[in-house]
Amino acid sequence: MGELLINDDEAKRLINLIKSVVDKHNKVLDENSQGEVRLIGSGNNSFILNYRYTQRSKVIHLREAKYNYTLLRINLNNNFHKNSDGSKIFGNRINIFSEEEYHAKGDGRTHYKCHSLPFSNISNSGDFINTFEEFLEYSKVQNPSKVNFVIQGSLFD
């Protein structure tokens, strides 16, 4: 098992770094949408914000671009994540970078610990747009209006 190339302090610093959306992103979400939003922070720190929107699952995923580590990931679905201590976190949840979890899990890839929503300012609404806005605020994105989602009308039926 290799060593992580960042630690918890660096991950927290990256999460709390003020970030900006690079390009305007307007998207109509249909029953199977996914995409990527590029972010930049001070010191030319680059980030990738992926999203996936389906009827069954909604995901918001922030990675740092240098080593491609997950910093934060929200899953809005009925699945679960099993932490190294054996606890299963069911339903809407957030994964947060964790050195301790990486070493405890010992699988050489899982470098985040899962927590149930609500967490900090992120509610457990299950509403993708609301959760996305809360996620941007939590991850210190200063110009969230550059990302605009509209959910296709037929998905409300």
Side-chain angles (χ1 to χ4, degrees):
M1 181 170 77
E3 287 302 310
L4 291 171
L5 300 173
I6 66 173
N7 60 30
D8 285 343
D9 289 337
E10 178 65 2
K12 287 176 189 164
R13 185 189 74 77
L14 291 170
I15 291 167
N16 289 309
L17 191 68
I18 302 297
K19 299 166 203 66
S20 296
V21 175
V22 175
D23 302 308
K24 189 133 178 88
H25 193 85
N26 292 308
K27 178 78 175 179
V28 175
L29 301 176
D30 59 26
E31 60 273 347
N32 190 22
S33 295
Q34 60 185 5
E36 180 176 291
V37 178
R38 293 182 319 120
L39 304 173
I40 192 82
S42 63
N44 285 326
N45 288 283
S46 295
F47 303 88
I48 302 162
L49 178 59
N50 294 100
Y51 61 88
R52 186 177 66 220
Y53 184 96
T54 69
Q55 288 281 358
R56 204 179 122 259
S57 181
K58 289 119 183 97
V59 177
I60 307 163
H61 187 187
L62 177 66
R63 296 176 287 134
E64 55 80 33
K66 187 173 183 180
Y67 303 111
N68 202 35
Y69 289 130
T70 294
L71 298 173
L72 302 168
R73 178 182 168 125
I74 290 182
N75 293 54
L76 302 175
N77 57 41
N78 291 322
N79 297 336
F80 72 91
H81 176 91
K82 186 175 180 181
N83 287 323
S84 64
D85 64 4
S87 64
K88 289 183 180 179
I89 309 301
F90 289 90
N92 298 338
R93 59 204 180 278
I94 185 169
N95 298 320
I96 302 173
F97 183 93
S98 169
E99 287 177 271
E100 181 181 338
E101 189 70 8
Y102 177 77
H103 293 293
K105 194 122 186 193
D107 65 6
R109 66 178 202 280
T110 305
H111 54 271
Y112 41 81
K113 184 165 185 165
C114 190
H115 308 271
S116 293
L117 291 180
F119 183 88
S120 187
N121 72 308
I122 301 171
S123 64
N124 187 17
S125 72
D127 178 304
F128 180 80
I129 302 291
N130 183 60
T131 302
F132 192 85
E133 290 169 354
E134 292 170 348
F135 185 92
L136 292 178
E137 181 182 331
Y138 182 83
S139 58
K140 308 293 190 273
V141 174
Q142 69 178 359
N143 58 345
S145 62
K146 286 185 84 171
V147 180
N148 184 44
F149 291 124
V150 174
I151 298 175
Q152 186 179 28
S154 64
L155 295 179
F156 291 115
D157 299 338

